[in-house]
Structures are given as C-alpha cells and as structure tokens.
Amino acid sequence: MMLQNLGTQWARLVAHALKAAGVEHVVASPGARSAPVLCALLESEAIPVEMIVDERSASIFALGRARATGRPQAVLRTSGSAGGHDLPASMEAKQAGLPLVVITSDRPYELTETAAPQTTHQNDLFLSQAGPTLELGPPDAHPTALRALVR
C-alpha cells in the first residue's frame, strides 16, 4: 500500500468493519477529522448515512433508530468536545441494552491538551457511563495492524 493512501485505506477498512459488524445506519455530524471515514462510508454506499449537524440531536436520533429497529446504529463525530454530546445517548443505550456505536475522530496524540483548538482528550470519554471503548490509534500500514483494525 502506498503511504499517501494509508489514511484513505484505513478509513475504508473502518467502513468495511462497521458493515461487517452489522451496523445498519450511520448518523454523521461532519468535521475535518472524521471526513476520511465519512467519505469512505459515502463512497462504499454499504451503509446509509444521515447528516445531522447538531451532535446531540444526531446521537438521540441514532438512539431512536436503535430502539425502533433493535439493530446497531452508529454516530460519527469529529475531534474536540463533539463526542461529549453523545454521552447522554450512550448512557441511555447502555441502560436499555441498545446497540449504539459512537465513533469519535481525535486529533493526533501530540496535539492533545496543547491549547490548540479541538484537542479534548477523548480516550475513555464514555467508559465510566456508557460501555466498552477502544482506540484504533493512528493509521499503520503493517499487515497485522490492518487485520486488527477490521477485527
């Protein structure tokens, strides 16, 4: 894989993994950091994507879809405080046993908490109230990293 395409390939693998995991619908509040994953989802056309600019409304909408369908729904966020708007819906989903996946796109580690815009620390943002979390880390071209991403 060519290095300049690594971010695009990584985003495509995330989109593929969401579909393979049974995610039925993605509600996106677009931003620069989540754009590669959003573009990969739109390009693949495998999962319908709904755009809702207001993050809290978007996550409540996705929660309602999960409640109505019983199928996994996802919300896609950019960096900074955007993920914080998903906490109420995440808490409700956990308590009700509803399948809601929250994807936040963090800034590079070296920019976290550096007084730069949109650098809120997102690791474990939902852990205490919502459920399990995982961090994908930066794109990595090593074959084991690519297999792990899909898994």
Side-chain angles (χ1 to χ4, degrees):
M1 170 184 332
M2 295 178 60
L3 189 56
Q4 67 263 27
N5 295 325
L6 180 58
T8 300
Q9 185 62 29
W10 193 259
R12 286 176 179 154
L13 287 171
V14 169
H16 171 77
L18 290 170
K19 178 65 176 173
V23 171
E24 179 184 78
H25 193 265
V26 174
V27 182
S29 298
R33 292 287 167 186
S34 61
V37 175
L38 178 58
C39 288
L41 286 163
L42 294 171
E43 174 188 85
S44 76
E45 299 180 352
I47 303 174
V49 177
E50 178 102 20
M51 302 287 199
I52 299 178
V53 175
D54 180 75
E55 287 102 356
R56 185 161 181 172
S57 297
S59 60
I60 296 297
F61 180 81
L63 176 67
R65 285 189 59 88
R67 187 178 303 283
T69 66
R71 305 275 307 143
Q73 309 295 313
V75 292
L76 177 63
R77 297 288 166 261
T78 194
S79 60
S81 62
H85 296 281
D86 295 314
L87 191 55
S90 298
M91 293 167 65
E92 237 182 274
K94 180 183 179 184
Q95 294 302 314
L98 297 171
L100 183 66
V101 177
V102 177
I103 305 161
T104 63
S105 304
D106 215 347
R107 289 265 174 144
Y109 176 78
E110 61 272 11
L111 293 179
T112 302
E113 297 179 5
T114 60
Q118 299 295 306
T119 58
T120 302
H121 185 67
Q122 293 185 7
N123 295 349
D124 300 329
L125 180 64
F126 304 97
L127 188 59
S128 66
Q129 295 296 322
T133 66
L134 73 102
E135 182 179 353
L136 300 180
D140 184 339
H142 194 279
T144 58
L146 297 172
R147 284 193 302 275
L149 175 63
V150 175
R151 193 176 55 250

